[in-house]
Amino acid sequence: MRLSQFHLRTEKETPADAEVVSHQLMLRAGMLRKLAAGLYTWSPLGLRVLRKVETVVREEMNRAGAVELLMPTIQPRELWEETGRWQKFGGQLLKIKDRKEAEYCYGPTAEEVVTDFARQEISSYKQLPVNFYNIQWKFRDEIRPRFGVMRAREFLMKDAYSFHIDDASLDAEYRNMYDTYARIFTRLGLKFRAVFADTGAIGGSASHEFHVIADSGEDAIAYSDTSEYAANVELAEAVSPGERADATETMRKVDTPTQKTCEDVAALLGIALTRTVKSVALMGTDAEGQPQFVLALVRGDHMVNEIKLSKVPGLADYRMATEAEILEHLGSEPGFLGPVKPAKAIRIVADRSVAAMHDFVVGANEAGFHLAGVNWGRDLPVPDEIADIRNVVAGDPSPCGNGTLGIARGIEVGHVFALGRKYSEAMKCTVLDANGKAVTPAMGCYGIGVSRIVAAAIEQNHDDNGIVWPDAMAPWQVAVCLINPKNDANVAAAAQALYDDLNAAGLDALLDDRGLRPGAMFADIELIGIPHRVVVSERGLAAGTFEYRARVASEAEQLDRAALFERLSRR
């Protein structure tokens, strides 16, 4: 590609409304242009990168045995009613009507559509297993689209759906897709982690997220420092600290007139925050489905994990208790709450770490006071309901039994689910088994955010001068730059010959023949992130060399033709 014949418009200034590096650099490099909130036009430059990612995804999905199809972006309400998601999916579902007042949605995902396709196309176990995949634009009406294509309303997604006669077959394909995703992100040159994750709104029995590691990531990932264990913080298990030590203090009331937080109480008493207990007042349901007041207890330095808490029986749809409900059950205002001698019978759910504490501090259920030296079995009953309800923190033991946990930030770019029969049952999708009996196939679901990968790669690979693309994602791998081509026809001829030879050697080369000054030309090449730059000049031709510089290198090198091609061959 001759750059003089290509559309490239870069910007020197950073756009004021771009919050993260990827958004800033994609706008400065001219990869994107905003159309409306969360909607972007991909320029020819941006599209080249997007297609590079798409190609790797398609090649690896085909290699894994998946079969590509193309499903509509507009989906009828009737399919979503079959699964009950027309209402459950919430405000992210963009609903529209046609001229006949029939209702549709702009597809945010395609479980319903692919299951409808399968129930029409597949009738026998002999046609299974099968994995259909689709690379298509999706739309989710984000309440606050932000971070450019990282959290856009419209995005390009690869979504795959597998169908199986039994769970063993599903498990095998789940592993196949897990391995396929690892190959995709490795080929794209990204640092990533596969983590255990919650199944969320999609549902299912097993789930892994694939995260690109970046400081700007929205998700916190817990990982072992000595094993491959990794999990989203919302799911990572906090291991029990072990046996509880014996009491060494007597329980006593301490004056805390204005201290309502564990941090303030610990500072006043001159003790470690780890010796305090945080009481969170909730309303759940009892075994009969009746409203029940619940006090959830976590250590003062820990945070309640809402997802873990919602998995405790009776707390699936919990809410925070009101001040009136707190006063009724505990006899106190918030800020001084605790489990000792409540005003009414309450349910106590203690985190594992709290159950192992001794001589701890809790609220006294009396304004202006806390209790110190509190111990289980003496001052209050040993909790009969102990659960993992907190976020893990750096330094916790790894649940796998190897090493300790660290915390990193990640950008989710892929997700695999073992769906089971949630959608096939709801939509009455059946096949005949070997005995001629109608059975419901198990399903798997496997998504990759193709457009999000582009932004995530920039978040992980950039410097002060611009984007630093991995080779597999770069719009071009090599930029051939001409210096003063009008002054010496030999320079233009040599550059053209080099450009032709690079492409013939299988390298995706760009010829920058715009005639810009070296500084402006090099700034553009660095901004758009071309991994390798080769300068053709009169001085170089006289010396029989080319000036070569890798995007990540601090200095240029003078290489003859053989050395240049050898260097590029091991890129």
Side-chain angles (χ1 to χ4, degrees):
M1 173 63 67
R2 284 178 169 271
L3 201 48
S4 62
Q5 298 171 352
F6 187 80
H7 176 76
L8 177 67
R9 182 186 169 196
T10 60
E11 304 285 347
K12 291 183 179 180
E13 301 299 323
T14 300
D17 61 342
E19 301 173 83
V20 294
V21 169
S22 59
H23 193 194
Q24 295 168 1
L25 290 177
M26 290 180 83
L27 290 174
R28 284 192 56 211
M31 294 177 63
L32 292 177
R33 290 296 179 250
K34 182 177 178 180
L35 179 64
L39 300 176
Y40 292 90
T41 296
W42 288 75
S43 75
L45 178 69
L47 187 61
R48 285 188 68 89
V49 178
L50 194 65
R51 293 291 184 245
K52 292 287 184 78
V53 176
E54 188 178 334
T55 295
V56 171
V57 171
R58 179 174 283 109
E59 289 176 354
E60 291 298 335
M61 290 299 294
N62 292 343
R63 174 184 171 188
V67 183
E68 186 172 9
L69 48 62
L70 187 62
M71 292 179 279
T73 59
I74 304 299
Q75 304 175 8
R77 172 177 179 166
E78 289 76 15
L79 290 183
W80 284 72
E81 289 284 15
E82 288 186 55
T83 60
R85 293 207 298 174
W86 184 256
Q87 297 299 333
K88 288 182 181 178
F89 206 87
Q92 286 190 332
L93 193 63
L94 180 64
K95 300 174 181 178
I96 54 179
K97 291 182 180 181
D98 68 9
R99 66 179 66 193
K100 296 180 180 179
E101 294 296 304
E103 293 188 85
Y104 297 83
C105 66
Y106 191 139
T109 183
E111 284 81 9
E112 284 82 0
V113 176
V114 78
T115 306
D116 179 66
F117 178 80
R119 67 183 174 184
Q120 296 180 60
E121 298 289 323
I122 300 172
S123 57
S124 169
Y125 75 98
K126 295 180 181 179
Q127 296 170 271
L128 302 179
V130 64
N131 187 338
F132 297 115
Y133 79 94
N134 172 69
I135 301 178
Q136 179 62 287
W137 292 95
K138 303 290 192 295
F139 189 96
R140 295 181 185 176
D141 199 5
E142 295 278 354
I143 191 169
R144 183 172 167 254
R146 60 195 189 280
F147 308 151
V149 297
M150 194 90 74
R151 184 67 69 179
R153 293 194 293 169
E154 187 180 49
F155 52 94
L156 187 63
M157 180 180 179
K158 187 285 299 176
D159 45 331
Y161 309 89
S162 61
F163 294 82
H164 308 269
I165 194 65
D166 56 33
D167 291 341
S169 175
L170 170 58
D171 291 344
E173 185 62 10
Y174 186 93
R175 186 71 232 184
N176 180 33
M177 285 294 99
Y178 182 102
D179 293 341
T180 298
Y181 276 33
R183 288 197 303 270
I184 288 170
F185 298 123
T186 299
R187 277 189 61 184
L188 291 173
L190 300 173
K191 297 174 185 175
F192 68 96
R193 277 272 193 171
V195 305
F196 296 107
D198 188 72
T199 55
I202 300 296
S205 59
S207 173
H208 281 85
E209 293 173 353
F210 286 77
H211 287 258
V212 168
I213 305 303
D215 292 339
S216 58
E218 292 185 275
D219 295 300
I221 301 166
Y223 63 93
S224 170
D225 59 357
T226 59
S227 76
E228 292 185 358
Y229 175 85
N232 197 301
V233 164
E234 68 188 15
L235 199 66
E237 180 185 2
V239 178
S240 173
E243 296 296 321
R244 182 172 57 249
D246 294 333
T248 62
E249 299 179 6
T250 58
M251 186 176 73
R252 61 198 182 279
K253 185 187 291 188
V254 294
D255 189 10
T256 54
T258 60
Q259 287 73 26
K260 294 186 176 183
T261 68
C262 289
E263 290 81 0
D264 289 344
V265 171
L268 177 70
L269 301 180
I271 60 174
L273 186 58
T274 55
R275 291 186 56 192
T276 65
V277 170
K278 189 183 305 179
S279 300
V280 183
L282 312 168
M283 291 301 296
T285 55
D286 61 18
E288 285 71 46
Q290 297 301 309
Q292 183 181 49
F293 187 90
V294 179
L295 202 62
L297 306 179
V298 295
R299 211 168 68 187
D301 61 324
H302 290 157
M303 296 292 294
V304 170
N305 182 306
E306 295 179 1
I307 290 178
K308 290 181 181 179
L309 196 60
S310 69
K311 293 180 179 180
V312 174
L315 295 180
D317 298 308
Y318 78 88
R319 62 171 174 80
M320 303 302 293
T322 65
E323 289 196 21
E325 290 165 337
I326 292 171
L327 186 62
E328 176 188 355
H329 290 86
L330 298 179
S332 176
E333 65 180 76
F336 304 97
L337 309 182
V340 181
K341 296 181 180 179
K344 295 177 68 173
I346 64 172
R347 176 185 175 193
I348 295 176
V349 178
D351 182 68
R352 292 170 175 173
S353 59
V354 172
M357 292 175 69
H358 71 291
D359 299 336
F360 54 89
V361 176
V362 295
N365 291 324
E366 181 180 346
F369 293 95
H370 279 71
L371 298 174
V374 179
N375 283 274
W376 296 106
R378 185 192 68 187
D379 307 313
L380 73 169
V382 173
D384 53 10
E385 197 160 7
I386 300 170
D388 173 20
I389 59 172
R390 71 171 176 92
N391 284 338
V392 295
V393 295
D396 278 345
S398 176
C400 68
N402 296 316
T404 58
L405 294 178
I407 307 295
R409 306 301 301 182
I411 301 167
E412 183 189 343
V413 291
H415 210 153
V416 293
F417 300 88
L419 290 176
R421 293 166 177 81
K422 175 179 177 178
Y423 294 94
S424 50
E425 280 184 353
M427 298 185 69
K428 299 179 174 56
C429 174
T430 62
V431 299
L432 297 179
D433 66 11
N435 299 314
K437 179 183 176 182
V439 296
T440 303
M443 291 176 61
C445 171
Y446 322 97
I448 284 181
V450 177
S451 51
R452 178 179 272 203
I453 285 174
V454 176
I458 296 172
E459 291 292 332
Q460 191 178 82
N461 300 279
H462 67 271
D463 60 19
D464 291 342
N465 296 323
I467 304 167
V468 184
W469 291 115
D471 270 43
M473 296 179 62
W476 297 276
Q477 295 168 322
V478 186
V480 177
C481 300
L482 287 76
I483 302 295
N484 295 326
K486 294 181 179 179
N487 293 348
D488 190 337
N490 292 330
V491 171
Q496 181 67 51
L498 177 61
Y499 166 75
D500 292 339
D501 290 345
L502 289 169
N503 281 301
L507 292 160
D508 191 2
L510 168 73
L511 182 61
D512 192 345
D513 59 344
R514 294 175 296 168
L516 299 182
R517 292 177 179 275
M521 179 167 48
F522 297 163
D524 274 353
I525 297 302
E526 290 191 330
L527 174 60
I528 66 177
I530 309 302
H532 308 277
R533 186 186 79 200
V534 181
V535 177
V536 182
S537 66
E538 295 178 67
R539 180 183 300 177
L541 290 181
T545 61
F546 301 101
E547 181 184 286
Y548 166 77
R549 182 174 176 179
R551 177 63 179 80
V552 295
S554 57
E555 300 291 338
E557 305 173 68
Q558 301 298 325
L559 303 176
D560 63 23
R561 189 181 187 284
L564 173 65
F565 275 78
E566 193 278 330
R567 179 65 56 84
L568 291 173
S569 70
R570 50 185 171 88
R571 63 191 188 281

